[in-house]
PDB file of all heavy atoms in Angstrom:
ATOM      1  N   THR A  90      -1.857   3.044  10.777  1.00  0.00           N
ATOM      2  CA  THR A  90      -1.889   3.951   9.632  1.00  0.00           C
ATOM      3  C   THR A  90      -1.078   3.322   8.510  1.00  0.00           C
ATOM      4  O   THR A  90      -0.030   2.711   8.746  1.00  0.00           O
ATOM      5  CB  THR A  90      -1.313   5.343   9.968  1.00  0.00           C
ATOM      6  OG1 THR A  90       0.022   5.205  10.438  1.00  0.00           O
ATOM      7  CG2 THR A  90      -2.171   6.047  11.008  1.00  0.00           C
ATOM      8  N   VAL A  91      -1.592   3.458   7.293  1.00  0.00           N
ATOM      9  CA  VAL A  91      -0.915   2.960   6.102  1.00  0.00           C
ATOM     10  C   VAL A  91      -0.785   4.129   5.134  1.00  0.00           C
ATOM     11  O   VAL A  91      -1.785   4.757   4.778  1.00  0.00           O
ATOM     12  CB  VAL A  91      -1.707   1.801   5.445  1.00  0.00           C
ATOM     13  CG1 VAL A  91      -1.005   1.321   4.179  1.00  0.00           C
ATOM     14  CG2 VAL A  91      -1.886   0.651   6.428  1.00  0.00           C
ATOM     15  N   ASN A  92       0.438   4.430   4.749  1.00  0.00           N
ATOM     16  CA  ASN A  92       0.702   5.522   3.814  1.00  0.00           C
ATOM     17  C   ASN A  92       1.568   5.007   2.686  1.00  0.00           C
ATOM     18  O   ASN A  92       2.556   4.298   2.929  1.00  0.00           O
ATOM     19  CB  ASN A  92       1.403   6.678   4.524  1.00  0.00           C
ATOM     20  CG  ASN A  92       0.522   7.296   5.579  1.00  0.00           C
ATOM     21  OD1 ASN A  92      -0.444   7.973   5.255  1.00  0.00           O
ATOM     22  ND2 ASN A  92       0.822   7.033   6.840  1.00  0.00           N
ATOM     23  N   ILE A  93       1.194   5.380   1.458  1.00  0.00           N
ATOM     24  CA  ILE A  93       1.941   4.955   0.275  1.00  0.00           C
ATOM     25  C   ILE A  93       2.288   6.198  -0.536  1.00  0.00           C
ATOM     26  O   ILE A  93       1.442   7.083  -0.722  1.00  0.00           O
ATOM     27  CB  ILE A  93       1.120   3.958  -0.568  1.00  0.00           C
ATOM     28  CG1 ILE A  93       0.736   2.744   0.285  1.00  0.00           C
ATOM     29  CG2 ILE A  93       1.919   3.526  -1.807  1.00  0.00           C
ATOM     30  CD1 ILE A  93      -0.219   1.784  -0.380  1.00  0.00           C
ATOM     31  N   TYR A  94       3.533   6.235  -1.013  1.00  0.00           N
ATOM     32  CA  TYR A  94       4.059   7.396  -1.727  1.00  0.00           C
ATOM     33  C   TYR A  94       4.650   6.975  -3.068  1.00  0.00           C
ATOM     34  O   TYR A  94       5.158   5.859  -3.205  1.00  0.00           O
ATOM     35  CB  TYR A  94       5.174   8.059  -0.896  1.00  0.00           C
ATOM     36  CG  TYR A  94       4.740   8.418   0.499  1.00  0.00           C
ATOM     37  CD1 TYR A  94       4.928   7.526   1.553  1.00  0.00           C
ATOM     38  CD2 TYR A  94       4.128   9.631   0.763  1.00  0.00           C
ATOM     39  CE1 TYR A  94       4.517   7.846   2.838  1.00  0.00           C
ATOM     40  CE2 TYR A  94       3.711   9.950   2.049  1.00  0.00           C
ATOM     41  CZ  TYR A  94       3.912   9.055   3.075  1.00  0.00           C
ATOM     42  OH  TYR A  94       3.496   9.353   4.343  1.00  0.00           O
ATOM     43  N   ASN A  95       4.616   7.895  -4.022  1.00  0.00           N
ATOM     44  CA  ASN A  95       5.294   7.624  -5.291  1.00  0.00           C
ATOM     45  C   ASN A  95       6.774   7.971  -5.144  1.00  0.00           C
ATOM     46  O   ASN A  95       7.221   8.390  -4.069  1.00  0.00           O
ATOM     47  CB  ASN A  95       4.620   8.367  -6.452  1.00  0.00           C
ATOM     48  CG  ASN A  95       4.705   9.878  -6.342  1.00  0.00           C
ATOM     49  OD1 ASN A  95       5.514  10.444  -5.602  1.00  0.00           O
ATOM     50  ND2 ASN A  95       3.856  10.564  -7.093  1.00  0.00           N
ATOM     51  N   ARG A  96       7.525   7.841  -6.206  1.00  0.00           N
ATOM     52  CA  ARG A  96       8.977   8.036  -6.108  1.00  0.00           C
ATOM     53  C   ARG A  96       9.378   9.477  -5.835  1.00  0.00           C
ATOM     54  O   ARG A  96      10.523   9.757  -5.492  1.00  0.00           O
ATOM     55  CB  ARG A  96       9.666   7.522  -7.365  1.00  0.00           C
ATOM     56  CG  ARG A  96       9.248   8.218  -8.621  1.00  0.00           C
ATOM     57  CD  ARG A  96       9.952   7.598  -9.796  1.00  0.00           C
ATOM     58  NE  ARG A  96       9.253   7.916 -11.031  1.00  0.00           N
ATOM     59  CZ  ARG A  96       9.636   7.533 -12.203  1.00  0.00           C
ATOM     60  NH1 ARG A  96      10.730   6.797 -12.310  1.00  0.00           N
ATOM     61  NH2 ARG A  96       8.960   7.851 -13.272  1.00  0.00           N
ATOM     62  N   TRP A  97       8.453  10.415  -5.987  1.00  0.00           N
ATOM     63  CA  TRP A  97       8.729  11.820  -5.697  1.00  0.00           C
ATOM     64  C   TRP A  97       8.257  12.214  -4.302  1.00  0.00           C
ATOM     65  O   TRP A  97       8.315  13.375  -3.925  1.00  0.00           O
ATOM     66  CB  TRP A  97       8.065  12.720  -6.746  1.00  0.00           C
ATOM     67  CG  TRP A  97       8.596  12.453  -8.102  1.00  0.00           C
ATOM     68  CD1 TRP A  97       9.812  12.838  -8.610  1.00  0.00           C
ATOM     69  CD2 TRP A  97       7.957  11.709  -9.135  1.00  0.00           C
ATOM     70  NE1 TRP A  97       9.959  12.373  -9.896  1.00  0.00           N
ATOM     71  CE2 TRP A  97       8.825  11.671 -10.246  1.00  0.00           C
ATOM     72  CE3 TRP A  97       6.732  11.053  -9.247  1.00  0.00           C
ATOM     73  CZ2 TRP A  97       8.510  11.024 -11.424  1.00  0.00           C
ATOM     74  CZ3 TRP A  97       6.428  10.413 -10.428  1.00  0.00           C
ATOM     75  CH2 TRP A  97       7.319  10.406 -11.496  1.00  0.00           C
ATOM     76  N   GLY A  98       7.741  11.251  -3.540  1.00  0.00           N
ATOM     77  CA  GLY A  98       7.301  11.517  -2.184  1.00  0.00           C
ATOM     78  C   GLY A  98       5.869  12.006  -2.062  1.00  0.00           C
ATOM     79  O   GLY A  98       5.421  12.354  -0.973  1.00  0.00           O
ATOM     80  N   GLN A  99       5.129  12.023  -3.168  1.00  0.00           N
ATOM     81  CA  GLN A  99       3.725  12.429  -3.139  1.00  0.00           C
ATOM     82  C   GLN A  99       2.877  11.291  -2.603  1.00  0.00           C
ATOM     83  O   GLN A  99       3.009  10.148  -3.044  1.00  0.00           O
ATOM     84  CB  GLN A  99       3.255  12.797  -4.546  1.00  0.00           C
ATOM     85  CG  GLN A  99       1.785  13.157  -4.604  1.00  0.00           C
ATOM     86  CD  GLN A  99       1.286  13.343  -6.029  1.00  0.00           C
ATOM     87  OE1 GLN A  99       1.940  12.959  -6.997  1.00  0.00           O
ATOM     88  NE2 GLN A  99       0.118  13.913  -6.156  1.00  0.00           N
ATOM     89  N   SER A 100       1.996  11.588  -1.665  1.00  0.00           N
ATOM     90  CA  SER A 100       1.111  10.570  -1.106  1.00  0.00           C
ATOM     91  C   SER A 100       0.094  10.126  -2.152  1.00  0.00           C
ATOM     92  O   SER A 100      -0.584  10.953  -2.760  1.00  0.00           O
ATOM     93  CB  SER A 100       0.380  11.130   0.110  1.00  0.00           C
ATOM     94  OG  SER A 100      -0.532  10.179   0.603  1.00  0.00           O
ATOM     95  N   VAL A 101      -0.002   8.801  -2.360  1.00  0.00           N
ATOM     96  CA  VAL A 101      -0.991   8.264  -3.303  1.00  0.00           C
ATOM     97  C   VAL A 101      -2.034   7.409  -2.595  1.00  0.00           C
ATOM     98  O   VAL A 101      -3.034   7.013  -3.199  1.00  0.00           O
ATOM     99  CB  VAL A 101      -0.327   7.467  -4.454  1.00  0.00           C
ATOM    100  CG1 VAL A 101       0.555   8.379  -5.299  1.00  0.00           C
ATOM    101  CG2 VAL A 101       0.472   6.283  -3.930  1.00  0.00           C
TER     102      VAL A 101
END
Side-chain angles (χ1 to χ4, degrees):
T90 58
V91 178
N92 296 288
I93 302 172
Y94 305 92
N95 64 18
R96 61 182 160 179
W97 298 285
Q99 177 188 14
S100 176
V101 296

